[in-house]
Amino acid sequence: MRRFVRPLLLTALAACCGAAFAATTEQAPQGRLPRWAVPQSYQLAFKVDPAQQDFSGTTTIKVRLTQASDHLWLDGSELTVSKVTVTDAAGKLHAGKYVAVDPKAGVVRVDFGSTLKPQDLTLSFDYTAPLNAQLQGLYKVSARGQPYAMTQMEPISARFAFPSFDEPGFKTPFDISLTIPDSQTAVANTQQVKEAPAGKGWKTLIFAQTLPLPTYLVAFGVGPWSIATAPDISPDAYRAKPLPLRGIAAAGEAHRMRHVLGETPSIIHALENYYGFGYPWDKLDLLAAPDFSAGAMENAGLVTFRDWLLLLDKDSPARNVRGSFNVTAHELAHQWTGDTVTLEWWNDIWLNEAFATWMQQKVTMQVHPEYRADLDRVRGAQGAMTNDSLVSARSIRQPITGNGDIMTAFDGITYQKGASVIGMFENYVGEKTFQKGMRAYIQQHKFGNTTAADLVGAIATAAGKGEAFKHAFNSFLDQSGVPYVQTKLEQKDGKTVLQLSQSRYLPLGSSGDAQRIWGVPVCVRYGTAANGKDNAQSSKVSCEMLDQATGSMVLAGASKPTWVMPNANAGGYYRFSLGKHELADLTAHAGMLSDAEQLAYADAINAGFRHGDLDAGDVLAALKPLTGSKIREVATAPLGQLGWIYQYEATIGAQRARLAGWVKDAYLPRLEQLGYQRKAGESEDDSLLRSTLASSLAFDFKLPEVRAALLKQGEAALKPKADGRLDLDAADPDLLGDALGIAVQEQGKPAVDALIAELPKTSDAALRNGILAGLSSVEDPALTEQVRNFALDKQVKVGEMAMLLMSGRDTAVQRDAMWQWFTAHYPQILARTGSFAGGFLPRLAAGGGCSQAEADRLQAFFKPRLNDAAGIERGLAQTGESIRLCSALKAKQDPAAILR
Ligand SMILES: [Zn+2]
């Protein structure tokens, strides 16, 4: 168990309290605030000029006190409170006192001066605070030299913007008013209802009261925004009124939101139809944020995004266009799961994130079936399985023992594993039944809070299922790990029987205990006799709930011999293994599998390799059949696995040449057929395939042909135009970052200097991303140092830093250089990323490491620094374990197998 991060600081207490404020003997709350003081509503008044360093505010909170007390607890961070008044139910004023008991965690005690009976109180705080520089709370950013102020409250940053009961379980209405310079514009969760002059050069904007919201969904933005008004979203069976829709962006940019505003109505209608519940807020604004910590944030009525997700042009990179739709669908799905129905506490963040991820995929499958969100779900789950195979993995419902657990809960386990598990049980009870359960859940808990039991219960009720079903569902929520289903075919009394057993999947070198049992809905595809002949050219799916260590399944109508794919439609969150003979049979029938099943097959090969059952030669043979698939996701599935073998296992030229040759045979003809420039009218999928192949073949496998083609584009892009600016449009928009990266590797310093000079002059986010990707490809040690130092410069936005720092770690020498740089610049990195990015720091320092020595030095460095930022402890455990597993896997390999 972890230590709580809200310790009682006796010295602070003793120092704060004069005679009128007898120090309470009550300990500061650890974890959650007590439930005997409950906020009923807030009035938030802010005075904000983004050009200033600070803002001021008055927060008025109606609080219901349910026990006699001379104080209450709430949250506040970095607030300088000048005045607190407490008005009792009879209207009598009491001078209150604001005591920051634990400034680091943000826990505050408000003393009343005397004991007050249970009643409704009104607390009012006058305060000032800095406009945050780390993208938290109310923070400051600039675009084209103009300052803006905007908010990011989730998970626990509202306390930086206003004194609050900063927990999701406290939902109340909010009245927001913003006093801002006359020349500026402001937006908030709801529609503006009034504007009034507020003294020379200032005006006050008043916004409609919100429906009940938690503090983390409160949002507003102030600055010279440009606003694009789209047609209202039409009413439908579940919403009587037209819904106003707008795009908000930095000055001069809002016209680039036409594409996303055009996609939004279909997403809203799809969600309303699914839930049978109309979008509940009075308007919908999508805001493109000049700098942002997450990808996007689902604030009720005012959804904020990284700007490149919303600002699209006709030649925007295909990945940005896809990303835009997917992320918009995700954030809008949250308006139901998260905003209308909110988690009670952070251990159930999956109720927000897993459901938004799952629903986003459902909406995308409906509105853009060509995006293949079904395959995204499978690939997402497989990505999560890598992390979930660690002993240090979180469970979906990880208990929260401190702020670090809150900060690290937003990971692949919550999002992708969560979405996959939901999909698995949806498949198990049937799509219509699951929908019925979801509709009941939303209806029953609208504008309230829930826990996992409410959700699982709603589905069980809809499906007419009992405790066994709940137990199975909960087995995936409450324990970490990936079920490993082992299968064995047998003939018994003339029937074909599949013997099943389960354990926890653990890679080679893991210290974990493999004994673990889930309720796994196992679905198996197997070959059947067609036309009365045992040719196994058709197939059938059979399902069974495996909730014991072992089980079996009769494969009715199986051909003799047959073949099995133990995860039919890749619908299950589990890995499987087959005997060598059965694996060979499956490889032979790989062409009969669906696209999703081919991805599950690729994962099984990867899992077998990491488990120590298959070597590099086996992998090369088993993955070959996938490379010819017409489906991008399937065809490129082997690249990651081969990349590992190339990077960590191939030690001599001949081995590398063999791998590069394999990749060249498999992919180069396809890439050359696509060409290195987007063709008029080509599909987004072709653009994405071009970019994936070019990047992997040029950087991971160093194919000279591909590097030469990219270099040509990179050189053209680096050639200054008449105005001295680089000609970034000269490269294909999907290949810009790769083209610049090859130029950086080949030209060295002139290219690096030119890109560093260009970045501050470039406001377009897609171009900035291209420049950053180019710089991050640097290999020369001195230039690498230059690029890393540049990452700490204010010309690089806080949200962009990681792009420059996560690459350049393919070899042990490069990783040593990164380590030296990281440890030397640790204070600056910590200061720039803030107190909340702790979970990421160990990976930033040592991710990609593959030796015991790297794991040891990481441990030694961070052990005394666990309290520097929330989340370091978990980040350290996971990064250290990943490095040790890589080292064990590498030690097991015989590189000669590559040449077999
Ligand atoms: Zn989300």
Side-chain angles (χ1 to χ4, degrees):
M1 290 293 286
R2 297 193 48 197
R3 216 161 38 80
F4 286 112
V5 296
R6 287 177 157 175
L8 175 69
L9 298 184
L10 285 168
T11 47
L13 270 180
C16 78
C17 307
F21 293 98
T24 173
T25 52
E26 191 194 12
Q27 266 207 319
Q30 308 203 322
R32 298 177 72 171
L33 295 170
R35 267 32 199 176
W36 47 263
V38 180
Q40 307 296 304
S41 65
Y42 288 77
Q43 282 178 291
L44 305 179
F46 297 94
K47 187 173 185 186
V48 185
D49 176 358
Q52 304 297 316
Q53 298 306 314
D54 299 305
F55 67 96
S56 60
T58 299
T59 294
T60 306
I61 317 176
K62 278 205 161 37
V63 181
R64 181 155 298 163
L65 201 63
T66 60
Q67 69 179 42
S69 181
D70 62 355
H71 68 281
L72 58 73
W73 300 96
L74 45 68
D75 299 295
S77 275
E78 300 182 10
L79 308 177
T80 304
V81 176
S82 56
K83 189 176 168 201
V84 183
T85 57
V86 181
T87 309
D88 64 24
K92 191 181 165 208
L93 272 182
H94 306 255
K97 183 147 187 156
Y98 179 95
V99 187
V101 175
D102 180 358
K104 192 160 183 181
V107 69
V108 167
R109 202 184 63 233
V110 176
D111 293 331
F112 308 149
S114 59
T115 297
L116 300 177
K117 288 187 313 226
Q119 59 184 305
D120 283 1
L121 302 174
T122 302
L123 273 62
S124 180
F125 304 83
D126 292 340
Y127 64 98
T128 59
L131 286 169
N132 189 282
Q134 294 156 340
L135 314 183
Q136 298 290 330
L138 177 55
Y139 69 91
K140 181 172 174 159
V141 287
S142 77
R144 295 178 193 250
Q146 290 186 291
Y148 296 77
M150 58 174 287
T151 55
Q152 168 60 33
M153 307 303 198
E154 196 184 27
I156 49 174
S157 292
R159 63 193 63 180
F160 287 89
F162 57 97
S164 50
F165 295 77
D166 193 12
E167 295 182 8
F170 294 118
K171 288 177 82 170
T172 82
F174 286 83
D175 283 289
I176 299 174
S177 74
L178 299 169
T179 299
I180 63 171
D182 261 336
S183 59
Q184 307 228 325
T185 306
V187 290
N189 295 96
T190 51
Q191 290 192 5
Q192 183 185 316
V193 290
K194 205 176 146 194
E195 175 177 331
K200 198 172 161 25
W202 294 85
K203 61 185 175 187
T204 297
L205 310 183
I206 295 173
F207 297 86
Q209 187 177 67
T210 70
L211 287 163
L213 295 178
T215 46
Y216 81 86
L217 289 173
V218 169
F220 56 91
V222 180
W225 303 107
S226 61
I227 297 182
T229 303
D232 290 351
I233 302 177
S234 60
D236 56 24
Y238 308 105
R239 177 172 42 79
K241 285 190 191 163
L243 172 61
L245 171 66
R246 301 187 302 174
I248 320 288
E253 300 277 12
H255 67 281
R256 299 174 65 197
M257 295 176 70
R258 197 175 316 154
H259 177 84
V260 71
L261 292 172
E263 296 272 33
T264 302
S266 58
I267 300 174
I268 291 292
H269 287 306
L271 290 161
E272 290 179 323
N273 287 331
Y274 184 85
Y275 286 115
F277 189 90
Y279 175 91
W281 326 118
D282 69 359
K283 54 94 177 168
L284 173 58
D285 287 339
L286 307 180
L287 184 148
D291 197 3
F292 201 63
S293 57
M297 178 65 209
E298 68 268 21
N299 309 303
L302 175 58
V303 184
T304 48
F305 297 74
R306 279 192 188 223
D307 53 4
W308 62 263
L309 285 166
L310 297 185
L311 304 179
L312 298 174
D313 310 302
K314 70 173 184 1
D315 52 0
S316 290
R319 77 180 81 87
N320 292 15
V321 178
R322 286 270 170 109
S324 172
F325 186 87
N326 287 334
V327 176
T328 306
H330 177 101
E331 303 308 329
L332 295 181
H334 270 308
Q335 306 299 313
W336 284 259
T337 52
D339 295 9
T340 301
V341 179
T342 305
L343 72 170
E344 171 66 29
W345 179 237
W346 296 111
N347 63 336
D348 270 320
I349 186 63
W350 76 287
L351 287 175
N352 285 14
E353 298 302 348
F355 275 90
T357 305
W358 162 82
M359 195 66 207
Q360 153 206 336
Q361 291 154 350
K362 199 178 262 304
V363 168
T364 306
M365 282 185 254
Q366 195 179 321
V367 180
H368 280 295
E370 76 281 11
Y371 285 9
R372 296 305 303 264
D374 55 330
L375 302 184
D376 279 354
R377 182 178 295 166
V378 175
R379 292 200 299 174
Q382 291 175 353
M385 285 178 188
T386 303
N387 178 281
D388 207 11
S389 303
L390 301 176
V391 177
S392 53
R394 292 174 57 254
S395 59
I396 291 177
R397 294 190 80 226
Q398 184 72 25
I400 302 292
T401 62
N403 289 355
D405 286 333
I406 300 173
M407 302 312 302
T408 55
F410 295 79
D411 68 354
I413 299 296
T414 295
Y415 287 68
Q416 280 76 26
K417 177 181 180 179
S420 173
V421 167
I422 292 166
M424 175 167 70
F425 284 99
E426 179 190 26
N427 191 36
Y428 180 70
V429 301
E431 207 171 348
K432 279 279 159 219
T433 303
F434 199 89
Q435 182 183 14
K436 197 173 133 202
M438 288 305 294
R439 284 184 164 206
Y441 168 81
I442 296 286
Q443 198 51 250
Q444 197 178 342
H445 301 287
K446 59 188 173 202
F447 311 119
N449 295 91
T450 54
T451 65
D454 297 316
L455 187 283
V456 174
I459 303 300
T461 302
K465 303 265 185 201
E467 290 309 309
F469 172 81
K470 294 183 190 173
H471 188 74
F473 208 140
N474 288 328
S475 74
F476 281 87
L477 302 179
D478 294 328
Q479 55 187 358
S480 64
V482 185
Y484 197 33
V485 176
Q486 265 132 329
T487 62
K488 198 162 175 264
L489 272 173
E490 278 178 7
Q491 293 298 325
K492 217 171 171 182
D493 308 329
K495 289 177 180 159
T496 304
V497 178
L498 191 65
Q499 299 293 346
L500 304 168
S501 65
Q502 65 165 311
S503 56
R504 180 179 183 185
Y505 175 82
L506 293 172
L508 195 80
S510 172
S511 61
D513 178 1
Q515 276 191 21
R516 194 168 283 187
I517 292 176
W518 289 262
V520 192
V522 174
C523 290
V524 173
R525 183 182 300 283
Y526 57 97
T528 52
N531 309 322
K533 289 183 194 149
D534 275 347
N535 60 5
Q537 290 304 303
S538 41
S539 68
K540 211 168 147 179
V541 173
S542 179
C543 297
E544 194 86 45
M545 174 64 84
L546 176 65
D547 54 8
Q548 308 290 326
T550 60
S552 68
M553 194 188 276
V554 175
L555 305 183
S559 57
K560 289 174 187 161
T562 189
W563 54 269
V564 288
M565 154 41 80
N567 191 354
N569 303 315
Y573 185 80
Y574 57 88
R575 285 181 149 158
F576 63 86
S577 85
L578 294 162
K580 272 227 156 157
H581 183 69
E582 284 148 0
L583 178 61
D585 283 344
L586 181 58
T587 305
H589 291 89
M592 289 187 65
L593 303 178
S594 69
D595 301 331
E597 286 167 347
Q598 293 191 347
L599 291 180
Y601 168 81
D603 179 70
I605 303 303
N606 182 20
F609 179 73
R610 289 174 187 275
H611 198 256
D613 306 333
L614 305 175
D615 67 19
D618 300 328
V619 169
L620 291 177
L623 292 181
K624 191 80 188 188
L626 301 184
T627 60
S629 170
K630 289 194 168 55
I631 305 301
R632 174 177 55 88
E633 293 86 344
V634 175
T636 57
L639 284 169
Q641 173 79 63
L642 259 79
W644 191 94
I645 295 170
Y646 188 95
Q647 183 181 340
Y648 293 107
E649 183 176 340
T651 48
I652 56 172
Q655 293 158 3
R656 296 209 159 151
R658 157 87 172 111
L659 292 167
W662 191 100
V663 169
K664 181 176 170 178
D665 287 352
Y667 299 110
L668 188 61
R670 192 76 205 276
L671 177 57
E672 288 181 334
Q673 191 194 343
L674 288 167
Y676 292 90
Q677 287 285 354
R678 196 188 284 185
K679 298 184 177 77
E682 79 175 15
S683 70
E684 264 172 32
D685 223 57
D686 279 351
S687 307
L688 291 169
L689 181 61
R690 172 185 299 114
S691 137
T692 301
L693 291 181
S695 176
S696 179
L697 270 51
F699 290 96
D700 300 337
F701 300 98
K702 313 221 180 305
L703 296 194
E705 305 88 328
V706 185
R707 291 177 68 86
L710 288 175
L711 180 61
K712 225 157 104 188
Q713 292 194 16
E715 285 172 342
L718 285 169
K719 217 159 135 197
K721 295 183 288 190
D723 62 0
R725 299 285 302 278
L726 301 186
D727 191 9
L728 298 177
D729 294 336
D732 178 84
D734 296 297
L735 300 181
L736 176 63
D738 295 323
L740 293 175
I742 294 293
V744 158
Q745 291 185 353
E746 299 294 332
Q747 290 185 359
K749 191 156 177 59
V752 168
D753 288 344
L755 291 176
I756 286 180
E758 184 71 14
L759 189 76
K761 301 176 204 155
T762 309
S763 62
D764 182 278
L767 297 179
R768 285 182 73 91
N769 285 346
I771 293 172
L772 295 166
L775 285 170
S776 74
S777 303
V778 66
E779 286 180 324
D780 175 88
L783 295 176
T784 303
E785 169 108 16
Q786 183 187 350
V787 167
R788 287 181 180 145
N789 291 341
F790 180 56
L792 298 176
D793 189 288
K794 69 174 186 331
Q795 303 290 3
V796 175
K797 296 174 183 179
V798 174
E800 293 174 335
M801 277 177 69
M803 273 190 81
L804 290 180
L805 298 178
M806 281 311 291
S807 56
R809 46 182 85 211
D810 290 353
T811 66
V813 173
Q814 285 179 313
R815 293 196 295 274
D816 286 348
M818 178 63 193
W819 180 254
Q820 294 305 332
W821 182 86
F822 180 90
T823 51
H825 295 85
Y826 176 72
Q828 294 98 303
I829 296 166
L830 192 62
R832 264 209 113 191
T833 53
S835 55
F836 286 149
F840 170 65
L841 290 175
R843 190 153 59 85
L844 180 63
C850 203
S851 67
Q852 187 62 42
E854 287 170 275
D856 290 346
R857 72 183 176 193
L858 179 70
Q859 181 71 18
F861 180 82
F862 274 110
K863 193 98 194 282
R865 295 177 169 86
L866 295 180
N867 294 322
D868 284 2
I872 289 182
E873 190 167 357
R874 189 179 307 286
L876 175 62
Q878 297 196 344
T879 305
E881 188 180 352
S882 298
I883 295 172
R884 283 188 292 275
L885 289 176
C886 182
S887 170
L889 182 61
K890 189 175 157 189
K892 154 93 180 176
Q893 304 309 318
D894 175 7
I898 298 170
L899 297 173
R900 194 172 65 225

